[in-house]
Amino acid sequence: MDAMEFFQRSAGTWRSQRSTHHLAFRRAELGELEITVSALTPDDPRVQEICTMHEVDGQLAAGGALVQWHGSMNWDREGEGHEDSTVMVIVPDVDNPRKGKLLREKGYAEIVPVAGEYEMDDEDGLNLVTEYETMSAIERFSFAGDSDDIRMRTSTVKRFGGFNTASFCIETRIGSAADTNATALPEALKSSWEQESAVSLLGW
């Protein structure tokens, strides 16, 4: 599987249950987002626009994805939420389509256009490494075994000033049997996490 096939397999609407760990504060934050992924063809105007933005030949693009999300995290202030969208474009290496450049309209850690590196690993996980002006981010997306309905996502963000965060997400395709069985974190587990986070926990 190459990166564009990964995007195509990811097309649909997902429920993302996230635990974000703020290492400097030794606290964990829980949240839930709804994410919609739409695969884009190489000739899609949005793909070509991102290529132009990054001064990359649009003919080199394998395609891309429009990702939209909305939801909330525990530490949100009243009236605050997480709702946005971004376009990602795959530009594979000439000799190896399983690695290359990932162009973004906006980054995971900074809201600016950014180009990162991607590579598919031996387990068909999509690994992204992005260097920003003030931080770096490493992300991994993967499907759970042969299932098209469960994805896992991990990310770590290291700020050059020393502030680090790490996140783990379980994402289930909305409407699938996997989502029916896991529409929310078990209350006992959620309560346990919230109690432990006041002491210490490691680990979008």
Side-chain angles (χ1 to χ4, degrees):
M1 181 163 55
D2 61 31
M4 195 57 225
E5 290 175 292
F6 191 96
F7 279 174
Q8 291 165 344
R9 189 176 171 186
S10 297
T13 304
W14 300 81
R15 188 186 318 280
S16 178
Q17 297 181 83
R18 175 182 302 183
S19 175
T20 297
H21 304 270
H22 304 270
L23 304 187
F25 303 116
R26 304 195 339 191
R27 296 289 301 273
E29 178 185 18
L30 301 179
E32 184 174 297
L33 301 175
E34 184 174 304
I35 301 171
T36 301
V37 180
S38 304
L40 305 177
T41 59
D43 59 353
D44 189 289
R46 290 165 290 189
V47 170
Q48 294 301 309
E49 181 182 355
I50 299 300
C51 288
T52 300
M53 180 186 299
H54 288 274
E55 300 181 343
V56 170
D57 184 352
Q59 294 184 352
L60 299 177
L66 168 64
V67 182
Q68 302 166 288
W69 63 91
H70 64 87
S72 62
M73 298 292 291
N74 281 358
W75 293 4
D76 290 345
R77 292 186 292 269
E78 185 176 355
E80 182 182 34
H82 297 261
E83 183 171 0
D84 209 341
S85 66
T86 190
V87 174
M88 304 180 182
V89 174
I90 293 292
V91 182
D93 286 353
V94 175
D95 298 328
N96 184 0
R98 285 172 60 84
K99 61 187 298 186
K101 295 283 188 183
L102 183 80
L103 312 180
R104 303 196 200 194
E105 174 189 12
K106 63 185 69 169
Y108 168 80
E110 290 184 0
I111 311 302
V112 294
V114 66
E117 303 281 342
Y118 79 84
E119 184 171 8
M120 302 296 297
D121 61 29
D122 292 340
E123 297 178 340
D124 280 337
L126 175 61
N127 296 273
L128 310 177
V129 178
T130 310
E131 298 290 341
Y132 301 89
E133 287 189 6
T134 62
M135 65 190 74
S136 61
I138 299 174
E139 304 164 76
R140 185 179 189 272
F141 301 76
S142 62
F143 287 94
D146 295 329
S147 175
D148 281 342
D149 296 329
I150 303 175
R151 297 197 323 171
M152 292 178 288
R153 179 155 57 101
T154 60
S155 62
T156 57
V157 177
K158 181 178 181 180
R159 299 180 185 272
F160 298 146
F163 177 77
N164 296 344
T165 61
S167 298
F168 175 72
C169 306
I170 296 285
E171 299 176 343
T172 52
R173 192 182 298 275
I174 290 179
S176 69
D179 185 58
T180 301
N181 294 330
T183 55
L185 287 171
E187 288 302 315
L189 176 60
K190 182 176 179 181
S191 175
S192 173
W193 280 9
E194 288 175 343
Q195 291 174 13
E196 291 180 13
S197 69
V199 182
S200 176
L201 271 178
L202 302 179
W204 271 154

